[in-house]
Amino acid sequence: MTESPTETDSTPEGDGATPATEGRTATTTTGETEEEIQDEWRNYEFEGETKIAVENLDVYYGTEQAIRDVSIDIPEQSVTALIGPSGCGKSTFLRTLNRMNDRIKSARVEGSVRIDGNEIYRDGVDLVELRKRVGMVFQQPNPFPKSIADNVSYGPRKHGDIDTGLLARLTGQAEPQAETELVERSLKQAALWEEVEDRLDDNALGLSGGQQQRLCIARCLAVDPEVILMDEPASALDPIATAKIEDLIEELAEDYTVVIVTHNMQQAARISDQTAVFLTGGELVEYGDTDQIFEDPRSERVEDYVTGKFG
């Protein structure tokens, strides 16, 4: 069991590994049916390898518990959607996967999160390297007030993957071609290259909201992550920009493990391979194939939520 300071979210608790024979009485809110959560609702068997393994995860902000005893395995090279009403803990959970919650003084994390079998909450973990491997795209696009090209190449330059500094230029070791190729490749992966290839030196803040979000995805891809976390990446975008982001997410899952928080259940149904449903109290109530979650949920509360009876 490990502890670490964490980042902020106004979410209550979550439940993970409760024996199916005993069940657990769920915390409920207005409009929710009272029921006992069954372990079998959350035991999801999938083909392929596990990329992220979470076990008995609890997250607290001061004395308030935001996530309660969540256990979940997330498969590699797929899209996992986290859905649930506001305040259920899904964004808090997402941020535990690259220790972004460490930035919140009042936050405390207990339990285990392993990526490729390696515990990320052990002492001595290099957080810069972790967040390079596990990138994050936020709800609001946040490009740097720099050129489009500089936004993409910033991370690799900072990590030392490419060198274009004065000393490198003076010693003949600069890598301008490598930087050019990286910018083009990342923008193409983010489906933005054709829209900006003639204005790479323009300030990124001049792009539309949808373009800025795809630029942020390109910036994330430029450092060659293995996992991409997305916290409602299309919630502030118009329908056309949202469709481009959704198409991009499906393409990214061919090479990356994508975990996305969304309030848009239709979006989750369209783009994800599996869906985890968090409900009141930060509890993971049900986890399974996306089609099964939306068409034949086993929890009555999950059925009520996905059919719009509350939330």
Side-chain angles (χ1 to χ4, degrees):
M1 186 166 296
T2 46
E3 290 188 8
S4 106
T6 334
E7 184 174 357
T8 204
D9 189 308
S10 56
T11 41
E13 327 176 279
D15 181 83
T18 305
T21 55
E22 297 178 6
R24 169 187 168 80
T25 301
T27 304
T28 59
T29 190
T30 303
E32 289 188 59
T33 302
E34 290 190 9
E35 66 180 359
E36 288 190 346
I37 298 173
Q38 302 299 316
D39 193 46
E40 63 191 40
W41 298 346
R42 298 165 298 190
N43 284 344
Y44 172 51
E45 296 183 2
F46 50 82
E47 297 180 0
E49 298 297 321
T50 296
K51 185 67 177 179
I52 304 171
V54 178
E55 187 175 358
N56 305 128
L57 185 72
D58 295 294
V59 181
Y60 301 84
Y61 296 119
T63 59
E64 295 296 320
Q65 189 166 7
I67 294 291
R68 185 187 299 277
D69 195 24
V70 168
S71 296
I72 183 173
D73 288 345
I74 296 174
E76 66 179 0
Q77 294 181 324
S78 64
V79 180
T80 301
L82 310 179
I83 66 171
S86 296
C88 69
K90 54 191 183 296
S91 291
T92 290
F93 174 79
L94 189 76
R95 292 198 301 267
T96 66
L97 303 183
N98 69 349
R99 292 186 56 172
M100 287 294 289
N101 284 322
D102 285 24
R103 300 185 176 201
I104 302 171
K105 291 182 179 180
S106 65
R108 185 174 85 256
V109 177
E110 299 177 353
S112 172
V113 178
R114 300 189 305 278
I115 297 178
D116 291 333
N118 298 311
E119 177 59 56
I120 70 170
Y121 281 92
R122 71 181 188 278
D123 292 338
V125 169
D126 184 337
L127 294 184
V128 173
E129 184 63 27
L130 172 64
R131 291 168 189 158
K132 179 182 175 184
R133 291 181 62 203
V134 185
M136 191 156 193
V137 178
F138 297 93
Q139 182 175 359
Q140 293 290 338
N142 59 345
F144 303 138
K146 300 175 178 286
S147 72
I148 294 169
D150 283 346
N151 264 269
V152 177
S153 61
Y154 176 83
R157 285 204 305 264
K158 185 173 181 180
H159 289 294
D161 297 331
I162 55 174
D163 195 345
T164 59
L166 177 61
L167 180 60
R169 294 198 301 271
L170 291 174
T171 58
Q173 296 177 334
E175 302 173 293
Q177 185 61 33
E179 180 175 11
T180 299
E181 291 173 357
L182 179 140
V183 168
E184 180 175 346
R185 181 176 67 250
S186 300
L187 289 171
K188 283 182 175 178
Q189 282 184 287
L192 188 58
W193 173 253
E194 292 183 0
E195 298 171 39
V196 301
E197 61 178 312
D198 296 328
R199 49 187 180 129
L200 296 177
D201 293 329
D202 288 2
N203 193 306
L205 299 181
L207 297 173
S208 70
Q211 289 173 327
Q212 288 185 12
Q213 192 66 298
R214 281 180 285 149
L215 177 62
C216 292
I217 294 172
R219 190 174 66 196
C220 175
L221 295 173
V223 297
D224 196 24
E226 299 168 28
V227 178
I228 303 173
L229 310 178
M230 296 185 168
D231 194 355
E232 299 190 67
S235 65
L237 305 180
D238 62 62
I240 294 175
T242 295
K244 290 183 178 181
I245 294 292
E246 290 181 2
D247 290 343
L248 175 57
I249 290 170
E250 291 185 272
E251 291 176 14
L252 291 175
E254 296 178 8
D255 299 303
Y256 304 94
T257 301
V258 179
V259 186
I260 179 172
V261 166
T262 179
H263 273 107
N264 186 328
M265 286 184 282
Q266 290 78 16
Q267 181 178 81
R270 285 192 298 266
I271 67 173
S272 67
D273 300 293
Q274 51 276 331
T275 296
V277 186
F278 287 76
L279 293 178
T280 306
E283 297 175 310
L284 174 60
V285 176
E286 189 164 349
Y287 177 45
D289 282 323
T290 293
D291 288 346
Q292 177 263 310
I293 292 293
F294 284 96
E295 295 173 9
D296 187 26
R298 288 179 277 184
S299 160
E300 186 175 349
R301 287 197 299 154
V302 170
E303 181 174 8
D304 288 347
Y305 176 69
V306 299
T307 56
K309 292 182 179 178
F310 76 93

